[in-house]
């Protein structure tokens, strides 16, 4: 560019100043080139996007989309302007032709998992285009079904080469790019569970980001983090704070190995992935979804919007979000229709690119949160729409946050001249706990708005129709998708009549399996087979209308913000009275999203002190949540309304605000990295110290085992099996004693010499050693046949008369079943681990039905045994031991009630429930069966 550096800087400062003045954003400092856009000027992502648009117009240049994310100051923008040549309009360079899409291929009814879905297309249409990825530089990259499968197999091979085992969790921290698809499916093909997480983009947020993501990674007990090159340094630091995290790799690292030759054979009830709904609290909640959940939801919403072979999906939504991941990508994959994908930054920087992608690719299916439609209404210059044709767009989904009636009407009006049919605009409702979709209007009619009397609504929770000027207007989100049920209930979970506002509850085949390793949160939303959504709504003429969040959730620019989190953050700011902060959201009619309002008490009275305090509040929220408040109001002590018991009254405070009755320096990125690095060093030193003592302890035990094992092995040739079991029992007690692992047994009276099936949870290789010390001598262990091929060990297990099985679910092996039944009939008891296997991650896994089928057929009682503490002694994939107490709870035996399928599942559920009470680990079982009463009898 020919513009001089001083001219560029003065223009940038002038543009930023004018923007803030027009936005009525309070700022109390001189704008300089080094002024932080978010921290000092309070610019959120939408305001930054508007700043970029004005700069582009002034300098006649197109700024790269990535700059929107990375630029922290005006200096960052100036550096680009000084070095970059002018760019032509993206419409002239983005596409030179209209692509000819092949028709989609509908899924056969037999496909029941995500893995089978991709394998089907890779086999039947390997060269057909699946994804048309739009790079931010204007280039298009096409990914075929065959290529996706082949590249995913390579990633799967790389994960297996690292040692990743089935059902272990793998975090995917990838920006929107082809690598995300390969790593997501590669994780599935390896048998692991993908955990998509938000990738870092803003350098000044590194410390807060690391703290947030560390909590998620810990909760998920992630074994592998697949990151991208720019974030690899931060990811290595995260490794120090997450004990389970063993490998931090990039997709390029994983593609150095050979493709996986035997992909994981997923079953419908197997976990497909974990979607974290919130990572900014100390108790993150990960929604666990099975393959069956996903297929059921995709099929149901596909039927509701009538997906057909002529459809083309267009999306810019992030792939770590359920609407982008499931609603757009996995849905298009299942139905075999093309997906045109832009990056989120492409949309935020140039929202018109979304519409032009629909134009060029003749897109038919697309969707976004309400704020995106509002952005298109307000920010796209008509000059950029010349020649645009949206007549192909037949389903424009509006969901994922509060839907504003004005936005629907304004979007329809603005883009009607460009061929948009207003009947295409489809307000919907969904949530991660129901996979993604739950309510969708049926038919092709225009969206329906319901006007209700304000007084009746606010005072009596009645949605009484009204045409008054001050009436409230709500949007119909339609009816439940096929196979799902929705109801509106009161605080006692009793159904409410039409047009009465209450809590929305749901159930169906898409219902989540539970919050991963968070039993408390899971039980908190369960209501006798229904799941509580946390939303207020009412029903009228079969349709549902969402009215607000039960817990005052604030939704801003598509993000869910919890008041309690914000209040806690603000309360730590110096000068703010702790416990006297309220945060709430109010409708922003201009942006079509919510404004974040913070009210806080302070004893300060000087204006300059208050201004500094507001700046500190803004910086604290920005650092912790990566968002800035729209308004900060500081009030005198005791002005924040509370109940007599001291609870905050958010609704009352919001009303006072609406009625007008309410009279810390950010560290630079290098310093944040330095602090994280110092913390990482400290964690590493602590870890190495622990490992040193564990090495001494392990060596000590290894010496004892080496000294005693030859004698133990010799007895396999000298004594009878029953005598050998006595010897092994004594040896096991001795090893536990010298290992300083006290054994505490409860319920030993339930052990008898009569034939019994003992069922225990499985957490460690130590489990058989513990159980052999307490179980009766007539107990035979059921184990994998592979043990018979291990030198020396095979002699011991043969002497112990172990019953080998060739499959994890040994009921599928007819001969294995007969062998076990014969052992029971001969008077022996057996021990089984119904989980089939164990892994690094703590948690009680789903039980396989084999043992329970045998118990039902032979009418043998099952005794549930809960082990607690063995995982701490020797965790899977760890080679060093550590001492720990072991607790064994022997529960009362349960006798089968019959031998029908319902009896088998009932027995399995009852046994598992008893073990879950005492094993001391979160239950990783599926709760979907509990949400559909007709599926299983009560246990």
């Amino acid at each position: 560019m020919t513009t001089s550096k001083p001219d560029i800087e003065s223009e940038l400062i002038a543009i930023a100043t004018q923007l803030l003045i027009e936005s009525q954003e309070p700022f109390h400092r001189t704008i300089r080139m080094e002024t932080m856009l978010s921290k000092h000027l309070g610019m959120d992502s939408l305001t930054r996007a508007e700043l970029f648009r004005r700069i582009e117009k002034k300098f006649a240049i197109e700024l790269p989309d990535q700059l929107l994310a990375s630029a922290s100051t005006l200096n960052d923008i100036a550096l680009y302007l000084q070095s970059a040549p002018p760019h032509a309009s993206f419409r002239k360079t983005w596409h030179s032709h209209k692509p000819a899409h092949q028709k989609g291929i509908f899924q056969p009814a037999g496909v029941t998992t995500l893995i089978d879905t991709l394998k089907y297309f890779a086999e039947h249409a390997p060269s057909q285009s699946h994804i048309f990825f739009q790079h931010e530089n204007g280039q298009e990259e096409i990914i075929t079904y065959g290529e996706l499968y082949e590249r995913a197999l390579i990633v799967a091979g790389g994960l297996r080469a690292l040692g990743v085992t089935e059902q272990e969790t793998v975090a995917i921290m990838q920006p929107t790019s082809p690598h995300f698809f390969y790593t997501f499916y590669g994780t599935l093909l390896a048998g692991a569970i993908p955990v998509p997480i938000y990738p870092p983009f803003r350098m000044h947020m590194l410390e807060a980001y690391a703290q947030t993501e560390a909590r998620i990674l810990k909760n998920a007990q992630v074994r592998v983090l697949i990151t991208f090159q720019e974030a690899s340094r931060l990811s290595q630091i995260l490794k120090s704070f997450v004990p389970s995290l063993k490998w931090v790799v990039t997709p390029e690292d994983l593609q150095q190995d050979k493709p996986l030759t035997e992909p994981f054979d997923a079953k419908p009830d197997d976990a497909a992935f974990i979607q974290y709904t919130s990572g900014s609290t100390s108790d993150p909640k990960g929604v666990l979804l099975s393959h069956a959940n996903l297929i059921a939801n995709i099929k149901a919403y596909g039927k509701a919007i009538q997906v057909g072979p002529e459809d083309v999906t267009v999306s810019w939504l992030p792939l770590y979000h359920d609407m982008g991941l499931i609603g757009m990508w996995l849905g298009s994959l299942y139905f075999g229709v093309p997906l045109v994908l832009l990056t989120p930054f492409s949309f935020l920087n140039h929202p018109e690119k979304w519409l032009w992608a629909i134009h060029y690719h003749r897109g038919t299916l697309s969707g976004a949160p309400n704020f995106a439609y509002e952005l298109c209404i307000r920010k796209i210059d008509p000059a950029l729409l010349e020649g645009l044709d949206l007549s192909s767009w037949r389903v424009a989904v509006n969901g994922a946050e509060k839907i504003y009636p004005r936005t629907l009407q304004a979007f329809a009006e603005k883009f009607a001249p460009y061929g948009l049919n207003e009947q295409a605009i489809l307000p919907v409702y969904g949530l991660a706990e129901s996979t993604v979709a739950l309510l969708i209007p049926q038919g092709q009619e225009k969206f329906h708005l319901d006007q209700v009397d304000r007084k009746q609504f606010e005072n009596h929770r009645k949605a009484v129709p009204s045409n008054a000027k001050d009436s409230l207007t709500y949007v119909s989100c339609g009816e439940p998708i096929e196979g799902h049920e929705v109801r509106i209930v009161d605080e006692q979970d009793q159904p409410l009549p039409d047009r009465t506002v209450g809590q929305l509850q749901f159930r169906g085949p898409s219902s989540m399996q539970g919050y991963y390793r968070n039993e408390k949160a899971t039980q908190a939303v369960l209501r006798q087979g229904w799941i509580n959504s946390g939303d207020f709504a009412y029903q009228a003429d079969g349709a549902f209308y969402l009215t607000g969040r039960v817990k005052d959730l604030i939704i801003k620019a598509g993000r869910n913000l919890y008041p309690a989190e914000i209040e806690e953050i603000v309360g730590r700011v110096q000068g703010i009275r702790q416990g006297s902060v309220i945060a709430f959201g109010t409708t922003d009619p201009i942006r079509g999203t919510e404004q974040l309002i913070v009210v806080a008490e302070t004893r300060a009275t000087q204006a300059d002190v208050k201004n500094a305090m507001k700046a500190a509040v803004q910086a604290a929220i920005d650092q912790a949540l990566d968002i800035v408040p729209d308004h900060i109001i500081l009030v005198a002590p005791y002005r924040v309304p509370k109940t007599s018991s001291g609870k905050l009254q958010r609704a009352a405070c919001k009303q006072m605000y609406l009625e007008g009755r309410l009279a810390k320096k950010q560290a630079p990125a290098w310093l944040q990295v330095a602090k994280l690095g110092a913390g990482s060093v400290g964690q590493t030193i602590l870890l190495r110290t622990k490992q040193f003592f564990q090495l001494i302890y392990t060596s000590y035990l290894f010496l004892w085992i080496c000294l005693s094992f030859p004698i133990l092995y010799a007895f396999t040739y000298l004594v009878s099996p029953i005598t050998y079991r006595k010897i092994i029992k004594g040896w096991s007690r001795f090893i536990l004693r010298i290992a300083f692992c006290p054994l505490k047994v409860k319920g030993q009276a339930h052990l008898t010499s009569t034939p019994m099936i003992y069922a225990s949870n499985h957490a460690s290789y130590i489990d058989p050693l513990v159980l052999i010390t307490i179980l009766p001598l007539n107990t035979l262990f059921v184990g994998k046949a592979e043990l018979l091929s291990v030198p020396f060990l095979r002699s011991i297990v043969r002497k112990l008369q172990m019953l080998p099985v060739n499959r994890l679910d040994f009921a599928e092996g007819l001969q294995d079943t007969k062998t076990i039944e014969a052992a029971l009939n001969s008077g022996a008891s057996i021990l089984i681990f119904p989980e089939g296997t164990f892994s690094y991650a703590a948690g009680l896994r789903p039980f396989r039905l084999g043992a329970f089928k045998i118990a039902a057929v032979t009418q043998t009682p099952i005794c549930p045994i809960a082990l607690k503490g063995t995982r701490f002694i020797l965790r899977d994939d760890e080679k060093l031991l550590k001492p720990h107490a072991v607790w064994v709870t022997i529960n009362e035996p349960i006798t089968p009630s019959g031998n029908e399928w319902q009896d088998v599942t009932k027995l399995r559920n009852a046994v598992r429930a008893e073990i879950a009470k005492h094993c001391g680990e979160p239950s990783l079982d599926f709760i979907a069966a509990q949400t559909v009463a007709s599926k299983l009898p009560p246990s």
Side-chain angles (χ1 to χ4, degrees):
M1 294 182 63
T2 57
T3 310
S4 65
K5 179 179 178 182
D7 289 341
I8 291 176
E9 293 180 350
S10 62
E11 288 289 358
L12 290 178
I13 291 174
I15 293 171
T17 302
Q18 183 62 28
L19 174 60
L20 292 175
I21 291 174
E22 292 177 12
S23 305
Q24 297 182 340
E25 300 282 359
F27 61 100
H28 307 279
R29 60 187 301 152
T30 301
I31 298 181
R32 304 180 188 279
M33 294 301 293
E34 64 273 12
T35 302
M36 303 287 286
L37 299 178
S38 58
K39 176 188 173 184
H40 297 147
L41 301 182
M43 290 188 181
D44 58 14
S45 58
L46 299 181
T47 306
R48 287 156 63 95
E50 174 62 19
L51 174 67
F52 270 48
R53 270 186 286 278
R54 296 189 180 197
I55 293 172
E56 287 181 328
K57 188 173 182 179
K58 177 65 179 178
F59 292 94
I61 188 172
E62 183 176 318
L63 298 174
D65 298 325
Q66 187 59 34
L67 191 63
L68 177 65
S70 61
S72 299
T73 67
L74 294 177
N75 257 334
D76 297 331
I77 303 173
L79 289 173
Y80 179 82
L81 291 175
Q82 292 164 28
S83 59
H87 285 241
S89 168
F90 80 91
R91 288 185 293 157
K92 297 179 181 178
T93 59
W94 190 40
H95 281 295
S96 59
H97 66 282
K98 294 182 180 180
H101 294 296
Q102 296 171 281
K103 287 187 177 182
I105 304 175
F106 277 97
Q107 274 299 306
V111 171
T112 56
T113 69
L114 295 181
I115 292 178
D116 288 343
T117 300
L118 179 57
K119 289 171 68 175
Y120 173 86
F121 284 113
E123 179 180 348
H124 291 85
S127 60
Q128 183 160 323
S129 300
H130 168 39
I131 299 170
F132 294 77
F133 182 73
Q134 313 301 313
H135 286 277
E136 292 176 355
N137 62 6
Q139 299 299 312
E140 181 177 80
E141 180 177 349
I142 299 177
I143 302 172
T144 65
Y145 294 106
E147 182 183 3
L148 174 57
Y149 186 57
E150 291 172 2
R151 297 285 293 272
L153 283 174
I154 295 174
V155 171
L159 289 172
R160 285 284 182 87
L162 289 177
V164 174
T165 59
E166 295 177 6
Q167 299 301 289
E168 289 189 326
T169 49
V170 174
I172 301 175
M173 189 175 74
Q174 290 287 317
T176 299
S177 70
H179 283 309
F180 182 94
F181 306 112
Y182 307 141
T183 55
F184 184 89
Y185 252 105
T187 302
L188 286 176
L189 293 171
I193 304 174
V195 184
I197 61 174
Y198 179 82
F201 292 109
R202 299 171 63 183
M203 293 301 292
H204 71 284
M205 291 293 301
L206 290 180
E207 186 174 5
Y209 175 87
Q211 294 170 353
T212 297
E213 297 309 312
R215 285 194 289 265
I216 290 178
L217 297 176
K218 283 182 180 179
N219 177 257
Q221 294 198 333
V222 165
R223 301 296 281 148
V224 182
L225 173 60
I226 306 176
T227 186
F228 54 106
Q229 194 61 47
E230 293 81 358
S232 59
R233 183 179 179 188
L234 172 64
S235 302
Q236 290 291 344
I237 292 175
L238 278 173
K239 186 177 178 181
S240 304
F241 296 94
V242 183
S244 65
L245 186 56
K246 188 172 182 180
W247 301 281
V248 175
V249 296
T250 65
E252 292 82 1
D253 297 331
L254 295 174
Q255 294 178 29
Q256 304 301 315
D257 292 281
K258 295 181 180 179
L260 187 66
T261 56
E262 296 183 8
F264 177 64
D265 183 20
K267 302 297 187 294
D269 285 341
D270 286 335
F273 76 94
I274 303 171
Q275 174 76 44
Y276 273 85
T277 59
S278 172
S280 55
T281 70
S282 58
D283 189 24
K285 294 188 296 184
V287 173
L288 178 63
L289 298 172
S290 70
H291 289 271
N293 291 148
L294 289 156
I295 299 299
N297 198 264
I298 291 171
K299 289 174 66 176
Y301 79 64
K303 184 175 182 179
I305 63 176
Q306 301 176 8
V307 177
E310 302 289 344
D311 281 314
V312 175
T313 304
V314 178
S315 176
W316 55 266
L317 297 171
L319 295 170
Y320 52 80
H321 187 274
D322 53 5
M323 190 174 180
L325 176 61
I326 308 169
M328 297 298 160
W329 173 39
L330 295 179
S332 67
L333 173 63
Y334 180 82
F335 290 112
V337 299
L339 170 66
V340 181
L341 185 65
L342 298 80
T343 69
F345 292 116
S346 289
F347 168 75
L348 287 175
N349 205 11
H350 296 282
E352 63 272 12
K353 283 188 176 182
W354 177 31
L355 306 182
W356 279 104
I358 294 172
H359 166 94
Y360 280 113
H361 286 266
R362 308 315 298 151
T364 61
L365 311 175
S366 194
N370 191 87
F371 87 92
Y373 291 95
E374 192 65 40
L375 202 63
C376 291
I377 296 168
R378 294 187 295 108
K379 298 300 181 182
I380 300 180
D381 192 317
L384 296 175
L385 300 178
E386 183 180 349
L388 179 70
D389 178 12
L390 297 178
S391 60
S392 65
W393 197 359
R394 69 174 190 86
V395 177
V397 171
N398 186 328
E401 67 173 3
K402 183 177 179 180
I403 303 171
Y404 291 86
R406 191 199 70 79
T407 303
L408 301 179
Q409 295 169 325
F411 190 82
E413 292 173 4
K414 177 168 182 176
F415 293 99
Y418 303 97
L420 178 68
N421 187 338
E422 66 177 5
Q423 293 182 355
I425 300 175
L426 195 70
V428 301
Y429 169 75
L431 65 169
E433 287 82 353
S434 183
T435 302
V436 62
L438 184 59
L439 299 172
I440 298 178
Q442 302 299 307
Q444 294 297 317
E445 298 180 359
K446 177 185 175 181
F447 54 85
H448 181 70
L449 305 180
D450 191 36
Q451 289 184 281
V452 300
D453 181 83
R454 178 183 294 273
K455 184 174 293 185
Q456 288 290 325
F457 186 90
E458 292 179 350
N459 295 340
H460 306 291
R461 290 190 177 184
K462 296 289 185 180
V464 179
S466 171
N467 292 321
K469 289 184 178 181
D470 66 341
S471 62
L472 299 171
T473 304
Y474 290 101
V475 179
S476 168
C477 290
E479 304 81 45
I481 56 178
E482 187 176 76
H484 295 69
E485 297 177 78
V486 173
R487 68 177 185 176
I488 307 299
V489 300
D490 59 18
E491 287 79 3
Q492 287 73 45
D493 298 321
Q494 297 302 308
L496 292 169
D498 273 15
R499 292 197 169 277
T500 302
V501 178
Q503 297 186 38
L504 186 148
Q505 297 180 350
F506 65 92
R507 65 182 180 184
S510 298
S511 299
M512 67 173 180
Q513 306 305 304
Y515 293 119
Y516 190 71
R517 301 187 66 250
N518 196 332
E519 184 70 18
K520 182 179 179 180
T522 299
Q523 294 303 320
V525 299
L526 288 181
R527 298 290 189 278
Q528 297 179 340
W530 296 79
I531 296 180
N532 196 4
S533 69
D535 285 309
F536 281 127
Y538 67 89
Q539 184 177 6
D541 301 324
F544 290 86
Y545 298 80
L546 276 294
T547 63
R549 311 294 276 183
V550 174
K551 295 183 179 180
D552 298 314
L553 194 67
I554 302 166
I555 303 177
K556 182 175 173 64
R559 290 186 56 191
N560 297 335
L561 305 174
Y562 294 87
E565 300 172 8
I566 300 169
E567 291 156 1
E568 181 182 2
I569 293 165
V570 175
R572 294 197 293 262
V573 174
Q574 186 175 1
I576 300 296
R577 300 185 73 236
Q578 287 191 345
S580 297
V581 181
I582 282 182
F584 53 84
T586 62
T587 299
D588 184 346
I590 303 299
R591 295 189 176 187
T593 185
E594 285 194 346
Q595 289 186 326
L596 170 58
I597 314 298
V598 175
V599 181
E601 291 182 356
T602 179
R603 298 188 184 279
T605 57
Q606 298 87 351
D608 57 339
V609 176
K610 283 189 173 182
N611 288 337
M613 204 173 295
K614 287 182 180 180
V617 168
Q618 185 169 274
I621 296 176
D622 179 37
Q623 181 178 3
L625 301 178
D626 194 14
I627 203 163
V628 293
D630 294 275
H631 297 288
I632 302 169
I633 298 106
L634 300 182
V635 298
Y638 311 113
R639 287 292 293 162
V640 168
K642 298 179 182 180
T643 65
S644 57
S645 61
K647 293 183 179 179
L648 297 170
Q649 294 181 305
R650 296 190 182 96
C653 188
K654 178 178 179 178
Q655 192 64 31
M656 292 171 65
Y657 167 79
L658 294 175
E659 296 175 358
R661 293 188 288 117
L662 283 172
K664 154 177 182 174
K665 188 177 180 181
Q666 177 70 51
W670 68 266
L671 183 56
Q672 293 186 45
V673 172
K675 289 172 64 178
L676 289 170
S680 175
V681 170
Q683 290 289 329
T684 302
I685 292 174
L686 180 62
L687 176 63
R688 294 292 181 263
T689 302
K690 290 181 179 179
Q691 290 176 340
F692 173 73
F693 286 106
Q694 283 182 250
L695 177 62
I696 295 175
Y697 173 77
T698 303
S699 301
Y700 156 77
L701 282 182
F702 183 72
L703 178 61
W704 274 106
I705 293 173
C706 288
L707 291 174
S708 59
F709 187 81
I711 302 174
L712 199 66
Y713 183 76
F715 274 116
T716 61
Y717 299 97
L718 302 176
V719 299
S720 66
I722 191 70
T723 302
Y724 193 72
R725 287 180 210 152
K726 292 180 181 179
I727 294 172
I728 289 291
K729 185 184 288 282
W731 180 80
S732 299
R733 288 199 188 101
F734 170 73
I735 292 297
L736 289 173
R737 189 174 294 114
I738 65 169
F740 309 106
C741 297
L743 181 61
K744 303 176 182 180
V745 183
K746 181 180 179 181
Q748 208 155 1
H750 295 139
L751 300 176
T752 66
S753 58
T754 57
M756 186 88 66
I757 296 177
Y758 297 103
S760 171
N761 60 304
H762 202 9
S764 171
Y765 291 111
I766 302 297
D767 297 342
L769 186 72
V770 172
L771 291 171
I772 203 169
T773 66
I774 61 173
L775 292 179
L777 290 174
N778 70 329
T779 303
L780 304 181
F781 284 51
V782 175
K784 295 180 181 180
E786 290 88 334
L787 294 176
L788 296 177
S789 62
V790 180
F792 299 107
L793 184 61
R794 59 190 173 201
S795 299
I796 293 178
V797 297
R798 281 173 179 163
K799 195 69 175 182
L800 291 173
Q801 298 179 315
M802 183 196 80
L803 302 176
V805 293
N806 292 316
R807 301 187 181 188
L808 292 177
D809 193 350
F810 52 77
E812 294 182 15
L814 182 61
Q815 188 58 46
D816 294 336
T817 301
K818 291 181 178 179
T819 301
I820 294 170
E821 289 179 359
L824 290 170
N825 292 331
S826 69
S829 294
I830 66 170
L831 168 71
I832 56 99
F833 296 109
E835 290 171 280
T837 187
F838 61 90
S839 69
Y840 183 93
L844 186 64
R845 296 178 175 276
F847 281 8
R848 299 177 183 272
L849 286 171
F852 306 98
K853 182 178 180 181
I854 292 174
V857 170
T858 62
Q859 285 297 291
T860 303
I862 289 191
C863 180
I865 298 179
L867 294 177
K868 179 181 177 182
T870 57
R871 196 185 301 272
F872 291 97
I873 299 173
L874 181 59
R875 202 161 193 153
D876 186 40
D877 204 39
E878 291 184 353
K879 298 178 176 59
L880 300 179
L881 295 88
K882 50 184 175 290
H884 197 278
V886 177
W887 294 267
V888 182
T889 303
I890 305 168
N891 297 278
E892 185 176 352
I894 301 173
T895 302
S897 57
N899 59 6
E900 298 296 327
W901 175 259
Q902 292 83 356
D903 301 315
V904 174
T905 56
K906 181 179 179 180
L907 179 62
R908 186 263 315 269
N909 294 344
V911 170
R912 197 174 189 284
E914 289 301 313
I915 294 175
K917 291 178 184 177
H918 307 287
C919 69
E921 294 189 348
S923 179
L924 303 183
D925 59 328
F926 294 171
I927 68 167
Q930 303 172 23
T931 65
V932 184
S934 62
K935 293 295 183 182
L936 290 176
S939 57

